[in-house]
Amino acid sequence: QVQLVESGGGLVQAGGSLRLSCATTRSTFSFTEMGWFRQAPGKWRELVAVIIGGGIGNVTDSVKGRFIVSGDIAKNTVDLQMNNIKPEDTGIYYCHAIGRLDKRSYWGQGTQVTVSS
């Protein structure tokens, strides 16, 4: 069973920066895409950023110009650099990946990001 393991997150003041990282427990497992979702209190989980093969990445409009997604699909890693963080970025951030062969969704356990104003 492959697991996604997140690191980073924590408490940060508005305008600050944080970096989230995600890696897998099985390096031989392959994914077609990896990315980050977040869930704010009382809200649905939403897609924040995704990367596909070749390191091509994209972020949702609400974080464009502030967040940068990077990683290497071949190495099963994805990072999220969060700059100029806003209070509305507060939430639990989940690493997500889609298996290349089984097409399943895999989720990390989530890491809390709290932004103080």
Side-chain angles (χ1 to χ4, degrees), residues 4-106:
L4 302 179
V5 181
E6 300 129 336
S7 60
L11 176 64
V12 63
Q13 286 189 331
S17 297
L18 278 177
R19 187 176 184 86
L20 307 181
S21 296
C22 176
T24 58
T25 55
R26 285 176 55 187
S27 61
T28 55
F29 201 87
S30 296
F31 299 112
T32 55
E33 67 176 65
M34 298 184 73
W36 294 92
F37 283 71
R38 70 183 178 188
Q39 188 165 17
K43 294 188 176 181
W44 297 101
R45 192 174 296 188
E46 63 172 348
L47 176 65
V48 177
V50 63
I51 61 168
I52 59 176
I56 299 173
N58 198 15
V59 298
T60 192
D61 287 347
S62 62
V63 305
K64 277 185 178 177
R66 301 188 297 118
F67 290 11
I68 301 170
V69 63
S70 62
D72 190 336
I73 290 292
K75 297 181 179 179
N76 293 351
T77 61
V78 60
D79 297 328
L80 186 67
Q81 178 65 41
M82 308 163 61
N83 301 318
N84 190 21
I85 295 177
K86 301 178 180 181
E88 53 262 41
D89 295 321
T90 292
I92 300 174
Y93 284 68
Y94 297 91
C95 181
H96 172 259
I98 297 177
R100 181 176 300 279
L101 296 179
D102 61 8
K103 310 302 182 187
R104 284 182 53 189
S105 278
Y106 292 87

